Amino acid sequence: MAYEMILVETPAPGVGLVRLNRPSALNALNSQITREVFDALEAFDRDPAIKCCILTGSDKAFAAGADIKEMENTDAVTMLSGGDFTDWSRLSRLRKPLIAAVSGWALGGGCEMVMMCDMIVASETAKFGQPEITIGIMPGAGGTQRLTRAVGKALAMEVMLANRHLTAQEALHYGLANKVAPVESYQAEALALAQKIAAMPAVAAQLIKDSINRAYELSLSESLNYEKRNFYLLFGTEDKAEGMKAFVEKRKPEWKDR
Ligand code: CAA
């Protein structure tokens, strides 16, 4: 498929990469670029050769938020009847692990988009923020919920009410990010992490992701039950048979991803 605002690559076997590529607007997320991101990631999700994905931007900006120029002349009823931003849930429905490689600005919808990914590898220059209040609105793609779960109520309030930015080190401290690396190497770090995951059995990886995400949706007893069902399900896979046989035979397993 031809894309205009993103670049799509396969930087290593099993790894799909989508790069936001709208440098003139610091990768501001208008409806076209978000549609292209969701389409490209869904195509990787359907591709059996791809086992882990990376979503990234430029060293200067992951994304400086939803496109303010696109939203300037819209109104509440138009937003409501068009269901604006509801399609962002397409990111949460991806089955394969998704790593955000983040450098520079990750503001507003940019911060919300990285928080919808499964893991974050940040450069030392990454700045996370929800500045919507400075333009008279509030986060609308999960910021008030996901950032609060990640950093706690008091700091989330400061970020969203006083436009406080979180540094990469703070993101790491609060468990929002997995790793911080120099700007010269954060992309390589994200790729190394993706390759590690791509070398694992795919069905187990998908069910682990699915089970972890339930921790944010269900009560503990419901999510423990959900986990147990996914656990049982893996006993029906060829990779379970191969993984355990290889362990007993003291050799490396050969995954079928089935
Ligand atoms: N929407 C549209 N265009 C944007 C943009 C955005 N969110 N952010 C940056 N741009 C554009 C600028 O208008 C500018 O374009 P022109 O050269 O044509 O004027 C270009 O990108 C470069 O930006 P700056 O000149 O402002 O760059 P800077 O280095 O001086 O400042 C910045 C960088 C602090 C990130 C600043 O651009 C900024 O504050 N951007 C807006 C951040 C923001 O408010 N984001 C929240 C958006 S609302 C939202 O996301 C809602 C939601 O929850 C879904």
Side-chain angles (χ1 to χ4, degrees):
M1 196 183 293
Y3 298 112
E4 291 175 354
M5 295 191 172
I6 60 169
L7 301 172
V8 177
E9 312 162 29
T10 310
V15 180
L17 183 142
V18 173
R19 185 183 301 281
L20 298 159
N21 186 34
R22 201 188 167 205
S24 59
L26 298 177
N27 291 333
L29 300 164
N30 64 10
S31 40
Q32 180 178 344
I33 196 169
T34 51
R35 192 170 54 248
E36 290 187 8
V37 166
F38 305 149
D39 286 350
L41 287 171
E42 283 172 357
F44 278 140
D45 219 44
R46 286 189 299 270
D47 181 349
I50 297 298
K51 297 176 67 175
C52 185
C53 292
I54 298 173
L55 176 59
T56 192
S58 69
D59 292 349
K60 191 172 174 194
F62 176 84
D67 190 322
I68 299 166
K69 292 167 190 167
E70 192 178 63
M71 293 185 294
E72 185 189 358
N73 295 313
T74 198
D75 58 58
V77 174
T78 309
M79 298 275 283
L80 180 70
S81 50
D84 290 34
F85 294 97
T86 50
D87 59 341
W88 284 44
S89 62
R90 289 170 68 186
L91 264 189
S92 323
R93 288 197 294 272
L94 296 171
R95 288 167 300 123
K96 295 176 183 171
L98 174 62
I99 300 167
V102 181
S103 185
W105 301 110
L107 298 180
C111 186
E112 292 170 305
M113 189 172 268
V114 302
M115 290 192 294
M116 293 177 86
C117 297
D118 301 313
M119 287 157 278
I120 299 176
V121 176
S123 93
E124 283 164 351
T125 67
K127 288 173 282 291
F128 302 85
Q130 299 286 165
E132 288 86 347
I133 195 167
T134 66
I135 53 168
I137 59 168
M138 61 179 280
T144 61
Q145 305 307 304
R146 293 196 176 92
L147 192 71
T148 306
R149 280 167 165 78
V151 306
K153 174 178 161 180
L155 186 54
M157 288 278 184
E158 188 182 344
V159 168
M160 286 177 252
L161 294 175
N163 191 22
R164 148 98 136 89
H165 294 159
L166 297 176
T167 64
Q169 284 302 337
E170 285 175 316
L172 184 68
H173 171 78
Y174 287 104
L176 191 65
N178 297 65
K179 200 176 198 37
V180 177
V183 69
E184 297 78 21
S185 60
Y186 76 102
Q187 293 273 338
E189 293 284 354
L191 181 57
L193 178 58
Q195 285 179 284
K196 257 189 195 168
I197 294 166
M200 301 295 178
V203 184
Q206 287 176 30
L207 293 187
I208 289 169
K209 163 174 170 158
D210 180 44
S211 300
I212 291 174
N213 281 332
R214 295 294 142 174
Y216 293 92
E217 310 280 346
L218 303 175
S219 70
L220 182 60
S221 61
E222 286 169 316
S223 54
L224 288 171
N225 197 27
Y226 194 91
E227 177 198 68
K228 195 72 83 256
R229 281 166 193 275
N230 278 346
F231 174 67
Y232 292 154
L233 190 53
L234 287 173
F235 281 70
T237 62
E238 291 178 28
D239 285 341
K240 172 265 171 192
E242 166 65 5
M244 295 197 181
K245 193 162 184 277
F247 176 83
V248 172
E249 294 173 358
K250 300 188 188 299
R251 61 171 173 83
K252 268 188 81 174
E254 286 177 32
W255 304 124
K256 299 274 190 307
D257 296 329
R258 299 182 58 80

